[in-house]
Amino acid sequence: MVQQVAQQQPAGPVAPQHPALQKRGLAYLNPDYIQSTLRVLVPEDQLPPKPTAFNINDLDWIAIMIESRYHEPGVEMVGAYTFLDMKNFKVLKRVKNAGDRVHVVRFGREEWPEHKRRFAIGMSRDCWLSKIDLYTMQIVRQIKIGVDCRSAAYDKDGKYIIAGSKDPGHAVILDADTFKVLKVIPFLGPSKFFPTPMMGRQGAILATDLGYWLVNVKDAEMVLVIDYRSPDFPIVHVFTSYDTNSKGRSVKVQIGDKTYDVTGIGKSPHELNKLDKEGRYVAVTGQESDTITILDLKNMEIVNVVPCGKKPHPGPGTLVPNKYFLTNAIGEGVITVINLQTMDVEKYIKFPSEFPADTGGGLYSTPPLPDGTIPKGLAWFDTSFNINKGVSYFRHFNQSGVFQQLRQDTRGTIYFHKPIAPFNIVYNFTILYRKT
C-alpha cells in the first residue's frame, strides 16, 4: 500500500468517473516542469547582513499579516504580505505580488542559526511558494508547484520544505535554501467512502519533532507519514479510512444517502493538530464525517475516533497541555472538548443563547503559545458562520478544569493582553508571529 502511493503514476480516466479525477495542472507532476518556474528575485548573497528597518534583537516581534487579496484601482487582485512591528504597533512594509489568495506563512524555529531564521516561507492558493527575507522584508525567491494549493512546512531543522496541492494532487519536497525540487509524490489511493482509486487533494501538512511530515489527502482519505530524515523521503506509513482504532470505536455517519462506520481516517481530512509538544499524538479532522481521529506516531496506530460538532474546524486548535484539546465547528455552534488523558470526549459546549447554535459555528479558537500554554487561561471562539457573524466569546479554563463563560463581545473584536501567538482574524486577514 505504501509503495503504491509512493510510486504509482496518474493514469487515464477510471470508471466510475468521479470529480476528483478531473485534475488540472498534471504537468506539475514532473519535477523538471516545476523547477522551470523558479524565479530568483534577489540573490541571497546580495542581501544585507542585518535588518534594515528594525533592531535584530526584535526579530521575534515582527509579524506578517496575510492579505488574501488586496484591492487597488487598476491593479489585479492578488495577495500581499504586510510586515508589522508588534512591539511598537507599526506597519513596516507591504509586499505585493505574493500570489493569488495567500494562505499561509511559516517561520523558522528559534534554535535555528541566524542565516536560516531570517527567512520565512509563504504559500498562495495559486501555488506560488515564496521565500521571504525578514531582514529586508521582501520576497527573494519563488517557485510554482501546482494549480491550487493551501499549505507548506519546513522540517525540524529547516533543511527542507514540503508543499502540497489540491490540483494536480501531490506533495513536492524542495531544498529550503535553493528551492531545488527533490521529490514529487502523487496522491493516489482508494477510500472507504469511494473505493475506486483516485487522485486526492492535499489538506493540511504538519511537521513533527519525531522526524516526520504528515500530509492529509482528501478524497482518498489518507494521512501520509513521510520521513524527512532520509535523503529519499520515503513514505513510512499510511493511515487510511479502512484502519481500526485501539479503542474499538466505530462512529456511524450519514454522508449523502449512505451510512458509514468511521473507524480510521474520517471523510475529507482537513486539519492536523499536535496534541503534545513533539507531535507524538496528532488530531486529524474529518470534516465531512464530523470526527477527529487521534494518531499515535510512536506506535503508528490510531488511538480513537471522536465524534465532534458538525463540520469541525479547529484551525490552529486550542490546546491545554496534558489536559484538553478544543475545536470549533463550522456547521453548528458546538465546541468539542477532548480529554488528552483518555483521548476521548470530555464534553460538548454549546454557544451561549445570544448565538443560536443551530445557525452555525466558526473556524478558529485561541491557539497555544510556543510553549503550549494558553495565557491566563483565556480562550476565544469565533462565530463567523453563526447568524451573529464575526462575534467571538471567551471561556476560562480554571485549575480544576471547569469551563466557564467569561465574556462576550458582540462587536466582533478579539482582545489580547499583549502580542502572544499566531492568531486569526476571520475574513479580514491573518497575523502570524513568534513572540512568546
Side-chain angles (χ1 to χ4, degrees):
M1 175 66 182
V2 171
Q3 292 303 315
Q4 288 179 345
V5 173
Q7 297 176 2
Q8 197 165 3
Q9 296 297 316
V14 178
Q17 189 63 279
H18 186 277
L21 295 171
Q22 302 297 322
K23 310 301 287 184
R24 302 173 296 158
L26 294 180
Y28 290 96
L29 295 175
N30 183 335
D32 293 334
Y33 185 83
I34 297 172
Q35 197 67 61
S36 71
T37 69
L38 175 68
R39 53 195 189 195
V40 180
L41 306 177
V42 183
E44 287 85 347
D45 60 5
Q46 295 180 14
L47 295 171
K50 300 295 180 183
T52 55
F54 57 89
N55 189 298
I56 192 170
N57 295 324
D58 293 333
L59 176 62
D60 286 338
W61 286 101
I62 301 304
I64 294 179
M65 180 176 72
I66 295 174
E67 295 182 78
S68 179
R69 284 180 166 178
Y70 65 82
H71 299 260
E72 276 186 18
V75 177
E76 183 182 357
M77 290 192 299
V78 292
Y81 300 115
T82 298
F83 288 78
L84 307 175
D85 177 349
M86 300 304 292
K87 184 176 183 180
N88 300 299
F89 296 101
K90 296 192 304 184
V91 176
L92 298 176
K93 188 177 180 180
R94 190 187 205 190
V95 178
K96 303 175 184 177
N97 300 317
D100 186 36
R101 290 171 296 167
V102 176
H103 199 71
V104 297
V105 167
R106 304 291 187 221
F107 289 102
R109 296 169 63 130
E110 187 174 358
E111 63 268 24
W112 290 1
E114 183 179 330
H115 73 276
K116 284 191 174 291
R117 285 194 73 219
R118 69 177 291 166
F119 296 108
I121 55 173
M123 173 60 81
S124 63
R125 290 199 179 193
D126 62 349
C127 293
W128 281 105
L129 178 67
S130 298
K131 184 179 181 181
I132 307 165
D133 181 39
L134 303 178
Y135 286 10
T136 57
M137 296 177 288
Q138 62 183 326
I139 297 171
V140 298
R141 199 173 279 254
Q142 285 184 316
I143 192 168
K144 186 173 172 65
I145 69 139
V147 175
D148 187 1
C149 294
R150 293 295 185 275
S151 191
Y154 287 109
D155 69 310
K156 179 183 177 182
D157 300 318
K159 295 180 180 179
Y160 308 111
I161 296 168
I162 185 170
S165 74
K166 290 191 170 186
D167 281 329
H170 67 347
V172 180
I173 299 172
L174 311 98
D175 180 275
D177 295 329
T178 65
F179 277 12
K180 179 182 178 181
V181 178
L182 302 175
K183 188 171 185 177
V184 174
I185 304 174
F187 297 151
L188 186 65
S191 166
K192 176 186 289 187
F193 307 99
F194 190 83
T196 301
M198 68 183 71
M199 290 189 69
R201 299 169 293 153
Q202 171 255 325
I205 297 176
L206 178 70
T208 75
D209 287 359
L210 300 178
Y212 304 125
W213 283 312
L214 273 64
V215 182
N216 276 346
V217 182
K218 296 186 176 184
D219 307 311
E221 273 70 54
M222 300 186 299
V223 179
L224 308 184
V225 182
I226 302 171
D227 189 338
Y228 59 68
R229 299 163 298 183
S230 177
D232 58 344
F233 308 105
I235 299 174
V236 296
H237 193 82
V238 180
F239 293 100
T240 76
S241 57
Y242 295 97
D243 292 343
T244 57
N245 58 83
S246 59
K247 287 186 178 289
R249 171 74 58 77
S250 177
V251 179
K252 287 192 178 296
V253 298
Q254 184 79 23
I255 301 175
D257 59 352
K258 295 183 178 180
T259 300
Y260 298 90
D261 292 310
V262 179
T263 59
I265 302 302
K267 183 75 173 73
S268 191
H270 194 66
E271 281 103 347
L272 290 162
N273 297 91
K274 289 183 183 180
L275 299 181
D276 58 274
K277 187 175 181 179
E278 65 178 3
R280 171 180 175 176
Y281 296 103
V282 174
V284 184
T285 303
Q287 279 201 330
E288 293 184 42
S289 55
D290 304 333
T291 56
I292 280 182
T293 301
I294 300 174
L295 311 180
D296 177 352
L297 293 179
K298 182 178 179 181
N299 297 313
M300 293 297 175
E301 65 180 14
I302 294 178
V303 178
N304 199 10
V305 177
V306 179
C308 299
K310 187 176 181 181
K311 203 169 184 179
H313 193 289
T318 295
L319 185 68
V320 183
N322 302 313
K323 292 183 179 180
Y324 305 108
F325 177 74
L326 297 92
T327 177
N328 214 333
I330 294 173
E332 61 179 329
V334 172
I335 298 164
T336 302
V337 182
I338 297 175
N339 186 312
L340 298 182
Q341 298 301 311
T342 64
M343 295 296 180
D344 211 339
V345 174
E346 174 76 12
K347 67 185 301 183
Y348 299 100
I349 304 172
K350 281 192 174 183
F351 281 8
S353 58
E354 289 83 357
F355 314 107
D358 60 354
T359 67
L363 288 167
Y364 300 107
S365 61
T366 306
L369 297 173
D371 65 359
T373 61
I374 296 176
K376 300 183 183 297
L378 302 180
W380 55 261
F381 296 83
D382 80 86
T383 63
S384 302
F385 289 88
N386 196 268
I387 193 172
N388 290 326
K389 295 179 184 294
V391 179
S392 298
Y393 72 95
F394 297 76
R395 287 190 176 267
H396 176 64
F397 308 93
N398 64 25
Q399 295 301 315
S400 63
V402 176
F403 301 88
Q404 301 172 336
Q405 184 180 334
L406 182 63
R407 69 177 290 177
Q408 301 168 24
D409 181 0
T410 57
R411 297 170 297 173
T413 304
I414 298 172
Y415 297 89
F416 294 86
H417 67 286
K418 69 174 183 176
I420 45 89
F423 61 95
N424 298 276
I425 308 293
V426 181
Y427 290 142
N428 296 325
F429 47 77
T430 303
I431 296 180
L432 299 168
Y433 60 104
R434 301 177 298 193
K435 185 63 183 178
T436 57

